[in-house]
Amino acid sequence: MNFNSRLFDRIRIGPSEAEEVVEADARHCDHAGCTKAGEFRAPMGRGKEGKFFQFCLEHVKAYNATYNYFSGMNDEALAAYAKQEEIGHRPTWKLGVNASAARMAQRGRGPSEQDGADVQDAFNLFRGRARREQERAESRVGVLAKKALETLDLDETADRVAIKARYKELVKRFHPDANGGDRSREGRLQEILKAYQTLKTNGLV
């Protein structure tokens, strides 16, 4: 096929139905009396944000040359607008408007258990001091340390002094030298020695 043939210059194709629909639906310029296509958008102004005029090129230039968003605003309104512009025109609240927030700000901490009626804390982000102390006490020892304390017949509340005292007492009780050389209780003694070493490793002694 020869694309340079003179026959191609004589071929004329009429507009498609889709093109005719587009032309029929094309919006005219919003300027009074203008019949040109309104191809260019121009903002309608303050109070009509998100709405636009459709102008032809000539009239959109004329509109933009005289457009003033602040037209009709007095000095007080302009000052208020400038102040809102600093925060992006988002709503703000003064500190202490919320009663619970005011109490927490005065105390310098998060809500306690007594604030439960005012503050919903579904994820336990804020907890009372008593609860935090209780959790610290519960998490004071791990599983191995807890078993070691049980071996020494102690609970998790035993402090360093109590652990050492119980250790010395049990060693004297089960050591062969304190039992006339009897080694029948040596297995129990080994458990005590191992338990004490575990407590030392965990920093409880």
Side-chain angles (χ1 to χ4, degrees):
M1 180 178 291
N2 184 7
F3 291 100
N4 294 321
S5 172
R6 290 179 298 173
L7 295 175
F8 282 98
D9 295 334
R10 298 177 183 177
I11 298 175
R12 295 290 182 268
I13 300 176
S16 65
E17 293 182 3
E19 290 174 343
E20 290 177 353
V21 170
V22 171
E23 289 180 2
D25 292 340
R27 181 169 174 176
H28 291 293
C29 177
D30 285 331
H31 188 77
C34 183
T35 59
K36 295 181 181 179
E39 302 177 58
F40 305 95
R41 295 197 316 172
M44 288 188 176
R46 183 165 40 88
K48 295 183 179 180
E49 286 79 2
K51 297 181 179 181
F52 301 89
F53 292 114
Q54 296 291 140
F55 291 122
C56 64
L57 181 59
E58 176 186 354
H59 290 121
V60 78
K61 287 181 178 180
Y63 181 84
N64 288 340
T66 59
Y67 179 76
N68 182 3
Y69 181 83
F70 302 102
S71 178
M73 295 177 68
N74 57 29
D75 292 342
E76 292 182 2
L78 287 171
Y81 183 91
K83 187 174 182 180
Q84 288 296 317
E85 185 69 19
E86 294 176 359
I87 56 173
H89 299 276
R90 294 185 178 90
T92 58
W93 296 267
K94 291 182 179 179
L95 181 64
V97 170
N98 182 291
S100 297
R103 289 198 301 272
M104 287 185 281
Q106 291 175 355
R107 297 169 185 166
R109 61 177 179 80
S112 66
E113 294 175 355
Q114 296 174 349
D115 298 318
D118 300 322
V119 179
Q120 299 298 322
D121 187 20
F123 296 101
N124 292 324
L125 298 176
F126 305 103
R127 293 171 178 169
R129 184 177 302 171
R131 184 182 299 178
R132 287 196 296 270
E133 291 177 355
Q134 179 182 355
E135 289 179 353
R136 289 194 194 102
E138 291 176 354
S139 61
R140 176 171 170 261
V141 297
V143 177
L144 293 178
K146 185 176 181 180
K147 289 183 178 180
L149 287 170
E150 290 175 355
T151 301
L152 300 181
D153 297 323
L154 296 171
D155 58 24
E156 298 176 28
T157 61
D159 59 8
R160 188 183 304 266
V161 176
I163 293 173
K164 285 185 176 182
R166 179 57 60 87
Y167 170 70
K168 290 179 180 180
E169 175 190 343
L170 293 176
V171 168
K172 288 181 181 179
R173 184 188 306 174
F174 295 108
H175 199 283
D177 292 346
N179 292 281
D182 184 8
R183 295 183 174 273
S184 61
R185 296 170 139 185
E186 196 168 10
R188 172 64 173 151
L189 178 62
Q190 292 299 324
E191 291 178 359
I192 293 168
L193 295 174
K194 185 177 179 181
Y196 188 75
Q197 186 60 42
T198 299
L199 295 174
K200 285 183 68 175
T201 302
N202 282 268
L204 297 178
V205 180

